[in-house]
Amino acid sequence: MSSSSRIVGRTLARCQALQLLFQAEACGRSVADVLAGDYVLSEGPLDEYGERLARGTDEHRAELDHVLSGAARNWSISRMSATDRNLLRVALYEILFEDDVDKAVSIDECVELAKAFGSSDESSRFVNGVLGRVAADIDNGVDVIEAARKNYEDSAAELASAAYGDEDDCEYAPEEGFAPEHEDFCYGDYETSDAPEWAREGE
């Protein structure tokens, strides 16, 4: 897959989505903003499915990152290379939100793109392992988004407890329902506060 002329169909669409997400992250903008201005594709024109993947992945990025964080095992999102984490986001979005694509197809495509564009020779094994764990949870009936939400809430509660102590022991304990307003994600040389919507609303 060293030549872009060999990338066709939905594989090309996924590659384009990866490039759009990479550019959006690098300049701290949304995919919608990138698409509204000048953007670069190794091969065009922009495929309709590629645009749908890029927009959808960007819109659900916080949820996807929480799911990936739980499956990555000792690898925070910020420690991943920009290419690897955006490949994972695209594949996970496809698995969770595109009903007409089989999980195995999404994983295989991500692995092949990681072989071509990943940050190292280990990228393909890494993304295969992370996505394989997510797929196994789904096959076992786990609602991975809900599980990620629960993990986020538990982590927020632990942070609050560590900062303020137990309510019974502290005169100035926080009010019920207290949680940090956002979680900071670090991408390269810049940071964004991008908690999932359900966390911001305290649902």
Side-chain angles (χ1 to χ4, degrees):
M1 200 179 292
S2 58
S3 171
S4 62
S5 63
R6 297 175 59 189
I7 306 177
V8 296
R10 284 200 164 181
T11 301
L12 175 60
R14 294 177 179 100
C15 183
Q16 290 176 337
L18 169 65
Q19 293 173 62
L20 291 171
L21 288 161
F22 188 96
Q23 291 170 63
E25 183 179 275
C27 60
R29 301 164 67 192
S30 68
V31 166
D33 287 341
V34 169
L35 288 170
D38 295 328
Y39 59 88
V40 177
L41 296 175
S42 60
E43 185 174 341
L46 177 59
D47 184 90
E48 180 181 348
Y49 185 64
E51 179 177 350
R52 190 168 91 207
L53 282 180
R55 289 183 183 275
T57 300
D58 194 45
E59 290 169 3
H60 292 276
R61 188 183 69 184
E63 294 162 280
L64 299 175
D65 282 0
H66 277 73
V67 174
L68 291 173
S69 292
R73 292 186 181 175
N74 303 319
W75 276 88
S76 65
I77 296 295
S78 62
R79 286 185 61 203
M80 300 177 192
S81 74
T83 302
D84 291 352
R85 66 173 165 253
N86 281 302
L87 273 174
L88 284 166
R89 287 166 176 159
V90 171
L92 185 58
Y93 172 79
E94 202 169 37
I95 289 170
L96 294 176
F97 297 100
E98 292 293 331
D99 295 334
D100 64 332
V101 181
D102 187 84
K103 292 193 298 297
V105 172
S106 297
I107 294 172
D108 287 345
E109 284 282 292
C110 184
V111 168
E112 290 304 312
L113 287 173
K115 290 178 181 177
F117 305 112
S119 61
S120 72
D121 293 339
E122 297 298 314
S123 291
S124 59
R125 292 179 59 189
F126 175 69
V127 300
N128 186 60
V130 172
L131 294 174
R133 284 189 283 274
V134 175
D137 283 344
I138 294 172
D139 289 341
N140 288 327
V142 176
D143 183 334
V144 294
I145 294 179
E146 180 62 26
R149 170 181 176 166
K150 181 66 165 58
N151 287 338
Y152 175 86
E153 291 175 343
D154 288 347
S155 296
E158 289 177 6
L159 287 172
S161 177
Y164 293 94
D166 294 333
E167 184 175 355
D168 292 339
D169 299 331
C170 181
E171 182 180 355
Y172 301 102
E175 296 179 0
E176 182 178 358
F178 169 87
E181 293 182 357
H182 64 267
E183 178 174 342
D184 289 335
F185 291 94
C186 179
Y187 301 111
D189 295 329
Y190 61 93
E191 296 182 350
T192 60
S193 297
D194 199 7
E197 185 173 276
W198 41 258
R200 294 197 303 271
E201 295 176 351
E203 297 179 353

